[in-house]
Amino acid sequence: EDKVVQSPLSLVVHEGDTVTLNCSYEVTNFRSLLWYKQEKKAPTFLFMLTSSGIEKKSGRLSSILDKKELFSILNITATQTGDSAVYLCAVGVQGAQKLVFGQGTRLTINP
Amino acid sequence: DSGVTQTPKHLITATGQRVTLRCSPRSGDLSVYWYQQSLDQGLQFLIHYYNGEERAKGNILERFSAQQFPDLHSELNLSSLELGDSALYFCASSTSADTQYFGPGTRLTVL
C-alpha cells in the first residue's frame, strides 16, 4: 500500500527560528512529490518536485527531494507567525491518477 | 483564491439523509478530484474524473458516488449518511498530472 509519513506531527517554535519538516514515502511508482500549506481551509500549493537534488525555492521556503532515500524536506527560514499552518506532503503515483497525502505537520510559530 | 469553487460552504443534515456537493474546476482544467478530510484520517482521496470519465477511485464508500458533467463541473453525492461521514470535503482540479488546486471545501455535519 502506498504510504506517506510526515514528521514531526507537531512543532512549536519562536518567530525567527528555522524549521525543517520531513516527508518520507513508500509508493509503487513514484511520479512527483508535492508540498501544500493548509491554514484554515483549502490546501494551497507550494512546490512540486520530480528530480533528486534540485532545490526549489520560494522566498523563505525551500524544498529538496532525495529519490534514493525516498524523502523530502521543507525548510522555512526566519519564520513568521503567518507561517503557522499544517504543512502537507503528497506523492503522485504513476498510473494511479491520484495524490497520496501524509498526515501533515502542524507548525505553530509563537511571537 | 485557487479558482476552484465549491458549494455549499456548510451543510448540516441528519443521519440517513442524502446530500449533493458541487464543484466547479478552474477554467481550462479537465480533471476534478474529490477528497475527504476528517480529524483522524487526514486528506483521503475519493475519486478522480477527467473530462467526464471516471479515472481513478480511492477509498470511496459505495454510499458515495460522483459524476462530472459536460460543462466539467462535478457533483459528489453522499447517501444514507452516518455520523462518521461528518468531514470537510474538498474538490481539486488540475491540468497537469499532479499539481492540484483545491477549492475552499464543504463542511458536512451529520447529526
Side-chain angles (χ1 to χ4, degrees):
Chain A
E1 186 184 337
D2 298 326
K3 194 164 67 170
V4 177
V5 177
Q6 292 184 244
S7 64
L9 292 181
S10 180
L11 186 57
V12 181
V13 300
H14 290 292
E15 206 167 16
D17 288 352
T18 292
V19 297
T20 298
L21 309 184
N22 303 294
C23 174
S24 63
Y25 60 90
E26 288 178 35
V27 298
T28 44
N29 289 297
F30 175 89
R31 183 171 62 218
S32 60
L33 187 140
L34 296 90
W35 285 95
Y36 285 85
K37 177 183 182 182
Q38 186 175 25
E39 295 175 86
K40 293 193 176 156
K41 273 282 187 98
T44 52
F45 173 76
L46 295 174
F47 298 112
M48 183 171 79
L49 303 124
T50 55
S51 301
S52 264
I54 299 174
E55 185 182 55
K56 290 229 172 167
K57 205 168 164 63
S58 175
R60 297 176 293 102
L61 278 66
S62 63
S63 183
I64 198 159
L65 173 67
D66 185 329
K67 287 165 77 171
K68 185 179 172 190
E69 299 298 328
L70 307 183
F71 78 91
S72 173
I73 59 172
L74 175 69
N75 280 320
I76 309 175
T77 59
T79 52
Q80 301 170 357
T81 53
D83 295 327
S84 295
V86 174
Y87 289 84
L88 297 166
C89 171
V91 171
V93 180
Q94 284 281 10
Q97 304 282 330
K98 67 176 184 179
L99 293 178
V100 179
F101 279 84
Q103 328 90 291
T105 293
R106 181 173 295 280
L107 177 64
T108 303
I109 311 295
N110 288 327
Chain B
D1 183 359
S2 66
V4 180
T5 61
Q6 287 187 249
T7 56
K9 287 185 182 172
H10 302 278
L11 201 46
I12 300 174
T13 188
T15 54
Q17 295 298 304
R18 174 189 168 96
V19 297
T20 297
L21 313 183
R22 185 187 165 105
C23 167
S24 292
R26 294 184 322 158
S27 177
D29 285 357
L30 300 179
S31 276
V32 169
Y33 305 79
W34 285 97
Y35 292 87
Q36 180 191 58
Q37 188 175 41
S38 51
L39 281 173
D40 57 343
Q41 292 283 335
L43 259 173
Q44 299 289 315
F45 167 73
L46 295 178
I47 199 162
H48 168 216
Y49 275 84
Y50 177 83
N51 202 20
E53 290 187 9
E54 182 187 302
R55 284 294 179 93
K57 257 184 175 176
N59 300 322
I60 187 166
L61 300 170
E62 282 190 18
R63 301 182 285 109
F64 295 2
S65 65
Q67 52 185 326
Q68 187 179 27
F69 295 87
D71 67 353
L72 301 177
H73 91 270
S74 177
E75 292 181 356
L76 179 67
N77 299 297
L78 315 176
S79 61
S80 303
L81 284 167
E82 302 175 358
L83 295 176
D85 297 328
S86 295
L88 259 174
Y89 290 84
F90 287 108
C91 161
S93 74
S94 73
T95 45
S96 73
D98 291 328
T99 308
Q100 297 178 19
Y101 294 89
F102 283 76
T106 293
R107 181 172 294 283
L108 174 67
T109 303
V110 182
L111 300 175

